[in-house]
Amino acid sequence: MPWDNSPAKRAASEATYGPEYRTNRAIARRRARGRCEQCHHLHSRLEADHIVPRSQGGTHHHTNLRMLCKGEGTCKCHDTKTAGEGGGYRKPNDPEPVTRTEW
Ligand SMILES: [Zn+2]
Ligand SMILES: [Zn+2]
C-alpha cells in the first residue's frame, strides 16, 4: 500500500478525519478504479481530494471526494488543486461527471 501506515500518522489522521472519512474515501477509491478523476489517466498514486475544501465547509461524504493524482510521475492534479485553494475553487453543487463516454 502506498500510504503511510506509521502509528503517529494514523493517530493524526484519525483525529482529523475519523472513520467516516475513511469509509467514504474507500468508496471514492473504488469509484475511480485507479484513474485520476481530473486528468482521467491511470496513475498509481492517487489521493482523496475534498472537492469543497474542509476549510470552506466541505464534508467527508464521498460525493465531496474524488481521487486525484499526486507526486512524481503523475500530472500532480492534487498538488495543483491544493495550491489553488482558498479562492473559491469549485461550487458545492457541481454535478458529478458520471457520463462514461470513454467506455
Ligand atoms: Zn490527474
Ligand atoms: Zn494524469
Side-chain angles (χ1 to χ4, degrees), residues 22-34:
R22 292 201 315 266
T23 300
N24 282 287
R25 183 184 59 187
I27 292 168
R29 199 175 280 277
R30 273 200 300 275
R31 185 183 65 203
R33 298 167 69 187

Side-chain angles (χ1 to χ4, degrees), residues 29-94:
R29 199 175 280 277
R30 273 200 300 275
R31 185 183 65 203
R33 298 167 69 187
R35 206 174 274 270
C36 171
E37 294 187 70
Q38 178 143 307
C39 66
H40 303 291
H41 300 143
L42 288 167
H43 285 299
S44 57
R45 298 185 60 178
L46 298 178
E47 262 190 6
D49 172 55
H50 288 85
I51 296 167
V52 180
R54 292 284 294 152
S55 59
Q56 294 178 25
T59 71
H60 289 320
H61 195 260
H62 64 83
T63 56
N64 191 43
L65 296 175
R66 60 181 174 168
M67 303 309 297
L68 296 183
C69 60
K70 180 181 176 68
E72 290 303 314
T74 75
C75 302
K76 303 188 179 181
C77 293
H78 196 193
D79 305 85
T80 304
K81 195 267 185 173
T82 304
E85 259 170 27
Y89 172 76
R90 187 172 158 172
K91 295 196 299 291
N93 294 322
D94 277 6

